[in-house]
């Protein structure tokens, strides 16, 4: 693999860097897990969208710049290196949008994607239920046929961004007599629709990072079904592949964090603490290895499929280790450092969301390594 960038790629990088330098807020925005912070991040999303940087890899007709996958990786590297704000639009941009590109109708693409790219509509993910987390096929929320659409009933929980978002996408059982992975339908619905109750769920720090949703005869028109009714599992696995792969957690996120960690070590390290030095070096090397894996992934012509579980296990466990190393460097001051501490609290959820790592290891064993069930 040729790892050198072409003059065109370097020019793209320079343009992105210049734009970010001119537009990234001078002071960090409030936490996006608060009402004030979410509103501030909405404004930032609109700034990105106005210059088509919110979705650089989308076609221009939907609000993007038509960037190649490699240019998208370059953008992500520069975005995180610039210390740009977190993205409240990531559920829509990184999960729903690729699903629509793969399974949506032309009408859905024209209707849903442009306002998403402009930062005008923020999406929540409504998958998990009280009895269906990593075992998503156990879901019990229902979609029942109605005149011109569907009536949704049930409960969703741990819905990312739902406390302040505008819309949600989720999976519902449309055939109660079907087998676990069949008879499911993938739908979009507004969070302010009649019959929707949004109840925020606070994290350990009290910030409402999630919400639970209660659905009572919520009407959704046929035009908001993604894919064919009853074929929702296939559509959902398209979303899951993006969630566990590169799009939700790009390498740039970790190379920037590893560079920050290295700078922290140079500033605060005890030269005699070789064990901590080695942990910093290990984090820097793993971030670069994930970057190289990103290049390998985008160079493939086939869908990585179950291999996305390898990515998910790697980045989720690496994220915790990197932040633990930073907090150990900071010592007692770590409790006063908002960035590293909040990053650590969020990293702890990584092995759980997008399918627990225990489940992902089962997927790797059976679908990547070809091991028989029960041989783990």
């Amino acid at each position: 693999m040729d790892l050198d960038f072409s003059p065109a790629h370097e020019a793209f990088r320079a343009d992105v860097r210049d734009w970010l330098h001119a537009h990234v807020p001078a002071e960090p925005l409030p936490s996006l897990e608060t009402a004030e912070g979410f509103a501030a991040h909405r404004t930032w999303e609109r700034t990105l969208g106005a210059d088509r940087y919110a979705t650089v890899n989308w076609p221009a007709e939907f609000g993007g710049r038509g960037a190649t996958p490699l240019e998208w990786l370059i953008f992500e590297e520069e975005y995180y290196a610039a210390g740009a704000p977190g993205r409240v639009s990531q559920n829509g941009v990184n999960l729903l949008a690729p699903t629509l590109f793969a399974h949506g109708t032309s009408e859905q693409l024209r209707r849903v994607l442009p306002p998403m790219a402009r930062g005008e509509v923020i999406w929540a993910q409504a998958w998990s239920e009280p009895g269906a987390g990593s075992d998503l096929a156990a879901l019990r929320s229902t979609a029942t046929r109605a005149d011109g659409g569907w009536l949704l009933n049930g409960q969703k929980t741990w819905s990312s961004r739902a406390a302040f978002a505008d819309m949600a996408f989720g999976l519902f059982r449309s055939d109660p007599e079907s087998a676990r992975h069949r008879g499911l339908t993938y739908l979009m619905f507004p969070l302010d629709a009649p019959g929707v109750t949004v109840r925020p769920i606070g994290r350990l720090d009290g910030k409402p990072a999630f919400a639970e949703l209660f659905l009572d005869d919520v009407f959704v028109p046929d035009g908001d079904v993604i894919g064919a009714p009853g074929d929702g599992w296939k559509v959902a696995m398209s979303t899951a592949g993006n969630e566990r792969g590169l799009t939700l957690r790009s390498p740039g996120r970790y190379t920037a964090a590893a560079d920050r960690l290295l700078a922290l070590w140079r500033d605060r390290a005890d030269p005699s603490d070789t064990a901590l030095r080695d942990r910093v070096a290990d984090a820097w090397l793993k971030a670069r290895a994930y970057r190289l894996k990103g290049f390998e992934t985008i160079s493939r012509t086939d869908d990585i499929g179950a291999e996305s579980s390898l990515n998910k296990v790697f980045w989720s466990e690496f994220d915790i280790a990197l932040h633990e190393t930073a907090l150990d460097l900071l010592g007692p001051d770590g409790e006063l450092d908002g960035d590293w501490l909040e990053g650590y609290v969020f990293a702890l959820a990584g092995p759980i969301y997008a399918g627990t790592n225990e489940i992902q290891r089962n997927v790797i064993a059976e679908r990547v390594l070809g091991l028989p069930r029960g041989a783990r």
Side-chain angles (χ1 to χ4, degrees):
M1 178 180 288
D2 183 3
L3 296 178
D4 291 329
F5 293 100
S6 70
H9 289 139
E10 293 295 359
F12 177 80
R13 184 187 295 276
D15 288 344
V16 169
R17 187 175 294 173
D18 289 346
W19 188 92
L20 290 168
H21 178 74
H23 291 86
V24 170
E27 297 295 328
L29 300 182
S31 170
L32 58 81
E33 311 294 4
T34 65
E36 175 193 9
F38 203 92
H41 282 78
R42 276 184 183 271
T43 300
W44 169 247
E45 299 287 346
R46 294 190 183 101
T47 300
L48 280 173
D51 286 336
R52 296 176 178 265
Y53 276 118
T55 51
V56 292
N57 56 325
W58 289 11
E61 64 181 303
F62 300 124
R65 288 175 169 255
T68 66
L70 179 55
E71 288 171 334
W72 173 76
L73 284 178
I74 291 171
F75 173 81
E76 289 285 295
E77 287 185 351
E78 294 301 321
Y79 189 88
Y80 285 103
R87 304 287 302 278
V88 295
S89 65
Q90 65 180 6
N91 285 330
V93 170
N94 295 333
L95 301 180
L96 178 60
T99 304
L100 286 171
F101 279 123
H103 301 280
T105 65
S106 58
E107 186 277 332
Q108 288 174 335
L109 295 177
R110 292 192 304 270
R111 172 166 54 93
V112 174
L113 296 185
M116 185 192 299
R118 293 191 297 267
E120 296 170 358
V121 177
I122 305 299
W123 289 80
Q125 185 181 20
W127 278 28
S128 295
E129 299 182 7
S134 293
D135 185 13
L136 184 61
L139 64 85
R140 294 184 293 177
S141 292
T142 61
T144 306
R145 261 297 181 190
D147 185 19
W150 304 80
L151 292 177
L152 307 185
N153 285 278
Q155 179 184 355
K156 298 290 183 177
T157 193
W158 307 119
S159 296
S160 302
R161 304 285 180 256
F164 307 113
D166 307 299
M167 299 282 294
F169 55 93
L171 199 61
F172 296 83
R173 188 161 298 285
S174 51
D175 180 0
E177 304 301 322
S178 64
R180 280 165 46 87
H181 297 90
R182 301 181 184 276
L184 301 172
T185 298
Y186 202 123
L187 299 112
M188 303 177 284
F189 58 96
L191 289 174
D192 62 353
V196 177
T197 299
V198 179
R199 185 179 298 169
I201 301 174
R203 299 188 308 195
L204 288 174
D205 57 10
K207 296 173 182 174
F210 311 95
E212 54 185 344
L213 308 177
F214 298 89
L215 309 171
D216 184 13
D217 282 342
V218 178
F219 178 76
V220 176
D222 285 324
D224 284 341
V225 174
I226 303 177
D231 204 21
W233 186 259
K234 175 183 175 182
V235 181
M237 290 305 97
S238 174
T239 305
N242 285 289
E243 187 175 30
R244 296 166 188 164
L246 288 179
T247 55
L248 189 63
R249 293 291 177 261
S250 70
R253 179 188 184 101
Y254 300 106
T255 53
D259 287 343
R260 288 175 55 222
L261 178 64
L262 183 59
L264 182 65
W265 177 78
R266 287 171 172 161
D267 181 54
R268 301 182 65 103
D270 175 358
S272 66
D273 191 343
T274 57
L276 197 52
R277 177 202 63 191
D278 290 349
R279 288 169 61 191
V280 173
D282 183 66
W284 192 90
L285 290 169
K286 284 181 177 176
R288 266 58 193 176
Y290 187 50
R291 181 175 186 255
L292 293 176
K293 175 61 177 173
F295 293 147
E296 186 271 341
T297 298
I298 65 169
S299 70
R300 293 172 54 164
T301 58
D302 60 324
D303 184 355
I304 66 172
E307 288 186 36
S308 63
S309 293
L310 291 166
N311 279 354
K312 197 273 172 169
V313 170
F314 179 86
W315 58 249
S316 61
E317 296 185 351
F318 170 52
D319 203 14
I320 293 175
L322 186 151
H323 281 85
E324 285 180 341
T325 302
L327 292 177
D328 284 347
L329 271 169
L330 288 166
D333 292 340
E335 296 188 22
L336 305 176
D337 188 292
D339 289 343
W340 282 114
L341 185 59
E342 181 156 329
Y344 175 64
V345 170
F346 185 80
L348 290 174
I352 301 172
Y353 64 75
T356 64
N357 283 7
E358 290 79 7
I359 295 295
Q360 301 315 309
R361 286 187 165 88
N362 288 350
V363 172
I364 294 165
E366 295 168 12
R367 302 181 194 174
V368 179
L369 300 179
L371 298 177
R373 292 180 64 87
R376 298 180 290 276

